[in-house]
Amino acid sequence: MSTPTRVYIARLAGVAVFDPNGDQVGRVRDAVARLRATKRPPEVVGLVAEMPMRRRIFLSINRITSIDADAVVLGSGTLNLRRFEKRPNELLVLQELLDRRVQLEPSGQPGAVVDVAMECSRGGEWSLTRVAVREQTGRLTRRGHLHQVEWDRVRGLSGIADNRGTANLLAVLEDMRPADLANALQDLPDARRNEVAAALDDERLADVLSELPEHDQVEILAALDRERAADVLEEMDPDDAADLLNELPPPEQDVLLDLMEPDEADPVRQLLKYTPGTAGSVMTSEPVILPPDATVAEALARIREPQLSPAVAAQVFVTRAPQNTPTGRYLGMVHFQALLREPPADLLGKVVVNDIDPLRPTTPLPEITRRMATYDLVAMPVIDRNNRLVGAVTVDDVLDHSLPRDWRDRDALGSMNAPDLAADGADG
């Protein structure tokens, strides 16, 4: 194996995994160590890699030819795609050790684990040999010293962890996309998942909640105090917040809506009134809306705003004033490709098109899917009986509500029959 003899595992999180041909097959999410009956440090038996479709698999350490800060390279392109499941005598290093409260020997100085190193012996066996521990000083204004010590000089690495912090685990997870972070949270024990979720800022937690199965959303929200839960709901897109609130009993819905700012709660209340499975229940109430006298340049500047999803930013809806939903009279829409073809100074009223009938709030989901597929659209307007725009259904809304209800659930994904591409795949 061409690799440093000592590797700190937290630095591997998110590193790309490549097959011998240089094709990326996934990213490192953790390391698996096997506990020993003796006092010897745990043996590292492999890595956990995340593949497309959020599947996590086991990569035996014996099949890895190179490990460094930029890449992990496999010695074979043959993989076992069975979902990884931890065995009783195994330890997930990052998930179970990071932020653990420990004591340094022989002083008894308390600290928290910030990283763990694995080291390769001359015989090619990898073990957890050193631990990076930051002292706890008890002073908010001063960080404790960082110690890198041998495994056997740290007490508290085995057994059930006491309450611990989240800073180091969050540092490992901070660069993940919301969907990947949601996936990582599903691998944590419930209590640890709730601790990590609560430590995220409101905007980040809102993005992650939108990517979690409904039962995990509800459990995380219930673990927050109600004021914090309302703040997080305010950061969610109204349609996502409405979907989450729909999972709660009506009395709890009312409490949280009352705690939200009125201008944030009002569109959510409106969405909750629509019948499930209709355009009204799946639409976003905050599409890009501009008046007919806005210029093409103004429209292009609006859709470049980074907080807009690609599906929402793909078109501008044109209405009479007011521009907040429900708007004034709906006039039509302009796709971003059309905006790119027109002179920047031209008015939207000159390039708007309205040759496709809008949806009604009561239009059922199968009809929405058929019409979007027929016209190759990524979004469609939804208007009320007074021809006012009340929202837009985007392709991601349609997919989210057309897939099985548990499609985000890791357990459901694990039950899918993925092919084993190798009879000699790794254990796990």
Side-chain angles (χ1 to χ4, degrees):
M1 180 183 294
S2 173
T3 189
T5 57
R6 181 183 299 162
V7 178
Y8 277 90
I9 295 171
R11 299 175 190 177
L12 288 180
V15 169
V17 179
F18 297 92
D19 67 14
N21 297 320
D23 295 324
Q24 183 174 336
V25 297
R27 290 189 178 274
V28 176
R29 292 306 180 208
D30 214 324
V32 185
R34 181 177 295 151
L35 303 174
R36 310 193 214 221
T38 65
K39 292 185 178 180
R40 294 174 62 199
E43 177 191 3
V44 178
V45 294
L47 302 177
V48 178
E50 185 166 299
M51 313 290 285
M53 295 298 295
R54 305 184 184 182
R55 177 174 292 276
R56 293 195 174 196
I57 66 170
F58 178 83
L59 303 175
S60 172
I61 199 74
N62 297 322
R63 296 183 178 276
I64 297 173
T65 60
S66 174
I67 302 177
D68 59 41
D70 298 315
V72 170
V73 180
L74 304 176
S76 169
T78 306
L79 298 173
N80 183 338
L81 296 185
R82 285 179 299 169
R83 181 187 173 195
F84 167 75
E85 292 186 9
K86 184 171 74 83
R87 294 176 173 178
N89 66 330
E90 291 178 341
L91 174 74
L92 283 171
V93 177
L94 299 182
Q95 177 178 314
E96 299 182 48
L97 294 186
L98 229 56
D99 295 301
R100 182 182 282 252
R101 300 286 188 249
V102 295
Q103 289 182 321
L104 297 174
E105 296 289 7
S107 66
Q109 171 68 42
V113 176
V114 299
D115 207 343
V116 180
M118 63 181 189
E119 199 160 345
C120 188
S121 69
R122 291 183 179 178
E125 179 183 272
W126 286 84
S127 300
L128 301 179
T129 56
R130 296 181 69 82
V131 186
V133 178
R134 187 172 298 282
E135 290 182 1
Q136 291 179 285
T137 65
R139 296 173 59 183
L140 296 176
T141 57
R142 180 181 175 185
R143 298 183 72 190
H145 294 297
L146 183 65
H147 299 270
Q148 297 186 41
V149 298
E150 298 298 323
W151 177 272
D152 58 10
R153 283 194 54 202
V154 183
R155 190 171 67 206
L157 291 172
S158 60
I160 299 174
D162 297 329
N163 290 337
R164 48 183 166 164
T166 58
N168 298 300
L169 184 55
L170 286 176
V172 171
L173 303 176
E174 67 178 348
D175 293 330
M176 287 187 178
R177 293 175 179 269
D180 293 332
L181 178 50
N183 191 30
L185 289 182
Q186 290 186 64
D187 281 332
L188 298 176
D190 290 352
R192 183 66 168 153
R193 177 203 61 197
N194 292 344
E195 287 174 0
V196 173
L200 299 171
D201 63 54
D202 292 348
E203 183 177 359
R204 179 76 158 153
L205 180 53
D207 290 340
V208 171
L209 282 178
S210 300
E211 302 292 342
L212 282 167
E214 286 83 355
H215 61 87
D216 285 332
Q217 293 182 22
V218 171
E219 290 174 11
I220 289 173
L221 201 72
L224 305 174
D225 64 69
R226 284 173 166 172
E227 288 77 9
R228 173 82 198 282
D231 291 341
V232 173
L233 287 168
E234 290 175 356
E235 295 294 335
M236 298 178 75
D237 290 337
D239 53 325
D240 291 330
D243 288 342
L244 175 48
L245 287 172
N246 256 328
E247 301 296 319
L248 303 178
E252 187 68 15
Q253 292 179 21
D254 293 338
V255 169
L256 292 172
L257 286 166
D258 288 342
L259 288 171
M260 293 171 65
E261 293 293 330
D263 59 338
E264 299 287 350
D266 288 346
V268 179
R269 291 182 193 275
Q270 186 60 43
L271 290 171
L272 287 169
K273 295 178 181 178
Y274 294 113
T275 304
T278 63
S281 70
V282 303
M283 69 183 181
T284 174
S285 57
E286 297 180 345
V288 179
I289 305 170
L290 288 172
D293 57 354
T295 64
V296 168
E298 290 172 324
L300 288 171
R302 179 75 174 86
I303 64 174
R304 280 199 296 267
E305 293 180 4
Q307 73 272 19
L308 297 177
S309 71
V312 170
Q315 57 283 303
V316 174
F317 296 97
V318 182
T319 74
R320 299 292 185 190
Q323 263 69 61
N324 291 327
T325 56
T327 67
R329 185 165 67 90
Y330 172 71
L331 300 177
M333 66 180 186
V334 186
H335 195 271
F336 82 93
Q337 285 183 316
L339 293 172
L340 294 174
R341 293 193 293 263
E342 301 296 335
D346 276 9
L347 301 181
L348 293 183
K350 179 181 176 182
V351 297
V352 67
V353 295
N354 56 6
D355 55 346
I356 296 176
D357 291 336
L359 303 171
R360 297 289 182 178
T362 55
T363 304
L365 191 57
E367 173 64 14
I368 300 170
T369 305
R370 186 188 67 79
R371 291 174 63 181
M372 291 183 74
T374 298
Y375 298 112
D376 295 326
L377 296 174
V378 296
M380 289 195 71
V382 183
I383 63 171
D384 63 15
R385 66 182 62 186
N386 296 316
N387 206 36
R388 300 179 303 173
L389 185 72
V390 293
V393 176
T394 60
V395 66
D396 53 333
D397 296 326
V398 173
L399 286 172
D400 199 12
H401 290 83
S402 298
L403 289 166
R405 183 177 174 85
D406 60 355
W407 74 273
R408 296 185 189 275
D409 200 314
R410 283 292 300 278
D411 292 334
L413 287 173
S415 66
M416 295 169 62
N417 293 321
D420 280 351
L421 299 187
D424 58 347
D427 293 336

